[in-house]
Amino acid sequence: MRRDEMSDLMAFLAVAEERSFTRAAARLGTSQSAVSAVVRRLEQRLDVRLLTRTTRAVSPTEAGQRLLDTLRPAFDEIEAQLSALDVMRTHPSGTIKLTASRRAALQIVMPVANRLMAEHPDIKIEIAVDGRFVDIAKEGYDAGVRLGESLDRDMIGVRISPDLEMIVAGSPDYFRNNPVPRTPHDLAGHNCVNLRLQTLGGLYAWEFEQDGRPMNVRVDGQFTSSDTELILEAGLAGRGLICLPSDHLAPYIASGALVRVLADWCPPFAGYFLYYPSRRQVSPAFRLLVEGLRWREPRKPQSAD
């Protein structure tokens, strides 16, 4: 429906409810002659008389009453929705739908989401756990979380974690029976746990770098999975060497449950980002989530003079 057609219907509605062109014009903030011309134009377009006009009163015809009965609930619903949108604009509310990997959802998103929902009961958050890259606009999500190395150009990316690095590690039991690899080339002689990429379906090539020179290594072993938690369990059980981001393995390295190797070959890379379309109209609820997730460098302690 064109804008002028909507204006014609609003003019008819005002006249039919006020039963007066004069009062309708005052309600619409225009002249009586302008309202009269608009209603005549609507009747001509519909080819039916909508109002009976006398010197004393204006009243809807049978066709006009049917149109009035249809328009009033429709305009009431439009007004209610506009009011709801205005409330959402000023009061954080509504549902935010996200997609994220399990690790990012648990470690990064949920602490902020729990706090946000506690502070704002009208905010609802839905998280779909998915390790693949998701077309958020096509699949109906407000935003997604992924590693920030390859965000699409039409996306806004907000950093929500520090830099990460890939860690190659094995259990102490594994190294009791196998030598420690000194370079990535040594991995050819090791039982390695492979990661099956959910998006592409292929196996992840372990990525290394030294002196600015990248190196990708295809590894082999007894166990393969598309789930990083299962890969971690296999590594802890001594089934072979594993290669996962530092946010997965740091606690196990610290506790001694896993032993890190090839550290000099694993440089840092961009961590997790929240991404959403650059054309998105940001609601107060979504803005609160973005600011809650936004990564901020820890303040360095000031040295005493």
Side-chain angles (χ1 to χ4, degrees):
M1 179 179 294
R2 299 195 310 270
R3 181 177 299 177
D4 61 336
E5 293 174 334
M6 181 67 74
S7 299
D8 291 355
L9 292 174
M10 292 178 65
F12 162 75
L13 183 65
V15 175
E17 289 183 335
E18 298 291 344
R19 304 296 177 101
S20 164
F21 281 96
T22 302
R23 290 193 296 271
R27 172 171 155 181
L28 297 173
T30 186
S31 66
Q32 178 181 341
S33 59
V35 173
S36 179
V38 167
V39 172
R40 282 198 304 272
R41 182 174 65 195
L42 178 62
E43 289 177 322
Q44 290 172 358
R45 186 166 68 247
L46 298 178
D47 195 23
V48 64
R49 177 176 284 276
L50 299 173
L51 297 171
T52 299
R53 304 161 176 85
T54 70
T55 56
R56 293 184 178 181
V58 177
S59 60
T61 63
E62 180 181 358
Q65 188 62 48
R66 290 182 62 181
L67 181 59
L68 176 62
D69 292 342
T70 300
L71 289 179
R72 185 68 270 170
F75 276 95
D76 285 345
E77 177 64 20
I78 292 172
E79 290 175 2
Q81 293 299 325
L82 289 175
S83 297
L85 289 175
D86 188 59
V87 170
M88 288 181 66
R89 181 180 60 82
T90 57
H91 176 71
S93 61
T95 300
I96 303 171
K97 297 181 67 175
L98 305 174
T99 174
S101 67
R102 183 180 303 277
R103 179 68 55 168
L106 284 172
Q107 291 190 340
I108 302 174
V109 179
M110 279 308 298
V112 175
N114 282 329
R115 184 176 72 249
L116 202 61
M117 290 185 289
E119 294 174 353
H120 303 277
D122 292 331
I123 291 179
K124 299 179 180 179
I125 297 177
E126 179 179 335
I127 302 176
V129 175
D130 200 329
R132 64 190 176 91
F133 175 68
V134 174
D135 185 333
I136 56 176
K138 182 178 180 181
E139 300 193 28
Y141 294 103
D142 295 298
V145 176
R146 69 172 300 183
L147 295 175
E149 293 178 306
S150 52
L151 293 175
D152 291 342
R153 291 182 179 179
D154 62 344
M155 291 289 168
I156 293 176
V158 177
R159 179 185 282 274
I160 60 174
S161 84
D163 284 348
L164 301 175
E165 56 184 331
M166 298 303 291
I167 289 181
V168 179
S171 70
D173 285 343
Y174 178 82
F175 286 118
R176 273 192 276 272
N177 300 309
N178 295 276
V180 174
R182 302 300 178 186
T183 74
H185 300 289
D186 296 338
L187 295 174
H190 283 267
N191 191 9
C192 298
V193 180
N194 263 307
L195 169 65
R196 177 76 65 184
L197 298 173
Q198 292 185 15
T199 302
L200 302 176
L203 296 178
Y204 167 66
W206 293 15
E207 299 174 86
F208 301 98
E209 182 180 311
Q210 194 172 60
D211 299 327
R213 298 192 303 272
M215 176 191 304
N216 291 351
V217 176
R218 298 286 179 180
V219 298
D220 193 20
Q222 290 179 287
F223 184 66
T224 299
S225 177
S226 61
D227 186 88
T228 56
E229 300 300 321
L230 292 180
I231 290 175
L232 175 57
E233 288 301 316
L236 291 169
R239 295 295 78 185
L241 297 181
I242 60 176
C243 182
L244 291 174
S246 50
D247 62 322
H248 290 62
L249 301 188
Y252 302 96
I253 301 296
S255 69
L258 291 172
V259 177
R260 184 177 186 180
V261 296
L262 302 176
D264 292 341
W265 294 81
C266 301
F269 62 90
Y272 289 104
F273 281 70
L274 183 78
Y275 67 99
Y276 56 95
S278 57
R279 301 176 301 278
R280 189 183 193 282
Q281 193 72 24
V282 176
S283 69
F286 187 76
R287 188 178 298 112
L288 285 175
L289 179 69
V290 171
E291 291 307 310
L293 290 171
R294 188 185 300 275
W295 168 255
R296 295 171 176 85
E297 291 287 344
R299 291 183 179 179
K300 296 180 180 180
Q302 294 181 350
S303 58
D305 293 334

